[in-house]
Amino acid sequence: MASQVLKIGVVGTGAIGRTHIERINEKLQGARVTACSDINADFGRAVAGKYGCTFYEDGEAMIASDDVDAVVVTTLDPFHEQYVMAAICAGKYVFCEKPLAPQAEACRRIVEAEIAGGKQLVQVGFMRRYDPGYRQLKNAIQERTYGEPLLLHCAHRNPAVDSGYTTAMAVENSLIHEIDVVRWLLDEDYATAEVVFAKNTRKAHEELMDPQVMILTTKSGVRIDVEAFVNTGHCYDIKCEVVCEDAILNLPQPATIEICEDARRGHAIDSDWSTRFVDAYNAEMQEWINATKEGRVDGPTAWDGYVGQVTAAAASKARDTQTVVSIELEDKPEFYK
């Protein structure tokens, strides 16, 4: 398959689904979206017509079709398990946007199905692992040039969220990225989770406490604090500072031009995730295509998706009970080592 064009079917043609279709068809190499499916049939047909692919009313039928070599799942979160399971049953590689499933139990079922099938097929869309800045941090930490990492100070800031965004979503939809990428940076699982609240911003609504701080401790004792401030009113800002024994490492920001205008000198910043992490999304999808054509998974696995949801569930319990919660994880199966 390495020399052939990979035929991809996309389940879920919302904003991120369409973005991935455009990315695969227009920017990346070695693959083409040949089919798509959506629960909204009329909308899905319109998307299929726009991008020149075949529309399937039934996503599972699309996955089983000979017109599809591999699958991208970008549906609403509650449907992830259904379509990832269908891909495993069909023996096809599947890229699933985060989360792998909303509940840890569902992620565990996916893990068990993949193990029973005897082959790794699932990759989870934790795209920050593909960001050039995070990869620089990873290399610096792995080399231990600056000694052991001791503390991490992180921030996840949005300009605004709508009235449907709740207190729980800060951990379960936003900080899930930090949960995964920090575990990847340190190559270590977490032992405990805690979530505390700051003074509430006037921009928060009655269903949202904002900002809040998630505190994680790894099994070796590294302490991580992550500020989630989703209604700053002024910026999209992702921070990661790693305090090591002999130096402090900071996540580099994407390079932008400096502008001198109206008696001010400065540079623009990204307004949201779609521009801040566009290079990471491109690298993530291109590397998934390359690995799929060579018959392997080399990105975040189903096990990583499961661990992320176990950790998020513990953090959510810690938030709701205002206690420190232990994170209970069984040993990683040999299948994923």
Side-chain angles (χ1 to χ4, degrees), residues 302-332:
W303 180 257
D304 294 318
Y306 169 66
V307 172
Q309 291 309 106
V310 170
T311 306
S316 292
K317 181 179 179 181
R319 176 198 62 236
D320 295 342
T321 60
Q322 287 297 283
T323 61
V324 178
V325 173
S326 295
I327 298 169
E328 305 295 337
L329 274 172
E330 58 267 58
D331 291 338
K332 181 191 285 189

Side-chain angles (χ1 to χ4, degrees), residues 50-287:
K50 178 178 180 180
Y51 296 110
C53 57
T54 303
F55 177 74
Y56 287 77
E57 287 195 23
D58 186 325
E60 289 166 295
M62 184 203 76
I63 291 168
S65 168
D66 291 338
D67 195 34
V68 169
D69 298 322
V71 181
V72 172
V73 177
T74 53
T75 62
L76 295 175
D77 296 354
F79 299 100
H80 285 188
E81 180 187 8
Q82 174 184 349
Y83 294 114
V84 171
M85 285 290 208
I88 293 171
C89 289
K92 295 182 179 180
Y93 288 93
V94 54
F95 175 95
C96 180
E97 274 298 344
K98 67 86 185 170
L100 178 58
Q103 294 83 32
E105 295 81 4
C107 294
R108 183 70 199 189
R109 289 192 292 270
I110 291 171
V111 165
E112 290 171 352
E114 190 175 43
I115 292 173
K119 185 177 182 180
Q120 284 192 39
L121 296 170
V122 181
Q123 178 167 324
V124 185
F126 289 124
M127 84 298 185
R128 290 197 189 177
R129 297 189 186 198
Y130 297 84
D131 176 73
Y134 278 111
R135 285 184 162 184
Q136 289 179 55
L137 277 184
K138 173 76 170 176
N139 290 337
I141 292 169
Q142 277 187 317
E143 291 170 1
R144 293 298 194 269
T145 303
Y146 308 104
E148 292 293 317
L150 308 174
L151 295 165
L152 277 78
H153 305 295
C154 308
H156 187 129
R157 301 172 180 138
N158 292 335
V161 292
D162 61 33
S163 60
Y165 192 104
T166 64
T167 297
M169 293 173 71
V171 168
E172 295 160 13
N173 292 72
S174 297
L175 295 186
I176 188 67
H177 282 294
E178 273 76 18
I179 287 171
D180 177 75
V181 80
V182 171
R183 174 175 169 266
W184 172 73
L185 286 174
L186 298 174
D187 195 23
E188 186 179 5
D189 285 330
Y190 304 113
T192 63
E194 181 181 4
V195 175
V196 297
F197 296 108
K199 182 178 180 179
N200 216 30
T201 174
R202 71 180 189 279
K203 300 183 181 74
H205 54 79
E206 62 181 19
E207 299 297 326
L208 175 64
M209 295 287 290
D210 187 44
Q212 52 188 283
V213 178
M214 178 175 65
I215 303 163
L216 299 167
T217 304
T218 71
K219 290 186 175 181
S220 73
V222 180
R223 190 82 159 173
I224 304 113
D225 58 79
V226 189
E227 169 203 324
F229 189 7
V230 298
N231 267 306
T232 66
H234 53 77
C235 71
Y236 180 81
D237 190 27
I238 303 298
K239 301 287 189 186
C240 184
E241 180 181 82
V242 184
V243 180
C244 297
E245 292 173 302
D246 302 317
I248 296 173
L249 314 175
N250 276 289
L251 177 70
Q253 295 300 307
T256 57
I257 62 170
E258 185 178 78
I259 301 170
C260 184
E261 182 183 32
D262 296 332
R264 293 185 180 184
R265 187 187 301 275
H267 58 87
I269 61 174
D270 294 294
S271 58
D272 60 27
W273 55 269
S274 65
T275 54
R276 168 63 180 85
F277 289 108
V278 64
D279 290 339
Y281 276 109
N282 289 341
E284 172 189 50
M285 191 60 68
Q286 185 65 70
E287 291 185 28

